[in-house]
């Protein structure tokens, strides 16, 4: 009898000691490689364990190693048989419009620039939004509320303030995971809806998974 066999089997089935810390951190929100390199490396080494663990809870692990982020998202559950552990957040029409335009700007940036970080100022964001306003809209009123919308997008984690610069932001690349290529294909149709809303129809709300 090989006395090492039981110990080896126990080692293979034992839960990795780093797993609880990694999963707990993911439940708190997005994990960025640049913010916590040690935990990020633990996640990369435990990816299959994390996927299996959260799958039991009705969750998917979204991991983009090249962009350096990871987060948990609820699995598709059309019959609503599972409780939601990741809350859905209701976004106002103006915030959803801003997110759409930021996503399109990132797509253009990736095509035309060799840089990795997309940096925008308050004024650049305002100029981007104003281009898509219909002529009949009250542009001044829409732009007046832009500051509130930007704060909300910062809170959601899609814009990050640059240190020491109150009016300059980095557009977080995780936005690509929330608004994917298929979504972008429908962008023109969505803009038509946005323009109709800005022209006077009641603002719509959309749901965004946290």
């Amino acid at each position: 009898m090989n006395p090492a066999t039981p110990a080896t089997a126990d080692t293979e089935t034992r839960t990795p000691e780093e797993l609880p810390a990694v999963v707990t951190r993911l439940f708190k929100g997005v994990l960025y490689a640049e913010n916590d390199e040690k935990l990020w490396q633990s996640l990369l080494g435990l990816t299959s364990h994390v996927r299996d663990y959260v799958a039991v809870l009705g969750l998917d692990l979204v991991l983009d190693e090249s962009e350096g982020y990871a987060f948990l998202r609820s699995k598709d559950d059309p019959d609503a048989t599972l409780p939601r552990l990741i809350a859905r957040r209701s976004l106002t029409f103006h915030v959803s419009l801003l997110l759409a335009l930021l996503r399109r700007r990132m797509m253009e940036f990736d095509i035309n620039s060799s840089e990795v970080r997309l940096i925008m100022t308050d004024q650049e964001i305002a100029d981007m939004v104003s281009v898509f306003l219909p002529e009949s809209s009250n542009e001044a009123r829409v732009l007046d509320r832009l500051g509130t919308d930007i704060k909300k997008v910062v809170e959601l984690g899609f814009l990050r303030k640059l240190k020491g610069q109150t009016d300059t932001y980095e557009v977080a690349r995780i936005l690509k995971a929330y608004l994917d290529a298929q979504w972008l294909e429908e962008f023109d149709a969505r803009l038509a809806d946005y323009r109709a809303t800005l022209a006077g129809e009641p603002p719509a709300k959309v749901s965004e998974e946290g």
Side-chain angles (χ1 to χ4, degrees):
M1 179 181 293
N2 184 351
T5 301
T8 301
D10 179 67
T11 299
E12 291 176 350
T13 58
R14 189 172 62 238
T15 299
E17 60 184 32
E18 301 97 336
L19 183 61
V22 172
V23 173
T24 299
R25 176 60 186 81
L26 288 168
F27 267 107
K28 293 180 178 179
V30 180
L31 172 61
Y32 290 101
E34 62 182 319
N35 293 345
D36 197 330
E37 180 64 25
K38 182 178 179 180
L39 205 60
W40 178 258
Q41 291 302 322
S42 294
L43 171 61
L44 295 184
L46 295 170
T47 300
S48 61
H49 290 279
V50 174
R51 290 193 192 280
D52 291 344
Y53 186 92
V54 301
V56 176
L57 303 173
L59 302 173
D60 282 325
L61 170 66
V62 179
L63 170 65
D64 192 318
E65 188 172 350
S66 63
E67 299 286 8
Y69 62 75
F71 62 95
L72 300 178
R73 179 162 57 193
S74 296
K75 288 179 175 291
D76 292 334
D77 184 24
D79 297 326
T81 57
L82 296 171
R84 293 192 63 86
L85 297 179
I86 304 298
R88 297 184 72 89
R89 290 170 288 188
S90 182
L91 304 182
T92 65
F93 157 74
H94 293 90
V95 171
S96 64
L97 171 60
L98 179 54
L99 289 175
L101 296 179
L102 287 172
R103 179 63 181 90
R104 177 164 175 165
R105 179 69 184 88
M106 177 171 283
M107 179 186 68
E108 295 169 347
F109 176 79
D110 286 345
I111 292 173
N112 299 316
S113 175
S114 60
E115 299 294 326
V116 175
R117 302 174 68 197
L118 171 56
I119 307 298
M120 300 187 71
T121 65
D122 278 334
Q123 186 59 54
E124 288 172 332
I125 295 174
D127 291 343
M128 177 183 68
V129 172
S130 66
V131 169
F132 290 90
L133 298 179
E135 294 181 1
S136 59
S137 71
N138 186 333
E139 181 176 339
R141 183 179 64 185
V142 173
L143 294 180
D144 280 345
R145 61 172 297 136
L146 184 60
T148 299
D149 297 335
I150 289 176
K151 288 181 181 178
K152 180 62 178 178
V153 175
V154 170
E155 176 187 322
L156 291 170
F158 296 122
L159 283 176
R160 288 185 278 183
K161 283 187 176 182
L162 296 189
K163 292 181 179 179
Q165 303 183 54
T166 58
D167 64 344
T168 307
Y169 308 86
E170 177 181 357
V171 183
R173 302 194 67 81
I174 193 173
L175 184 59
K176 294 173 64 176
Y178 281 82
L179 305 182
D180 59 17
Q182 180 179 351
W183 190 95
L184 282 176
E185 291 178 359
E186 303 168 358
F187 187 78
D188 288 340
R190 290 174 184 268
L191 274 182
D193 292 339
Y194 290 151
R195 289 190 176 101
T197 302
L198 286 170
E201 296 180 9
K205 288 189 175 183
V206 298
S207 292
E208 177 75 34
E209 285 198 357

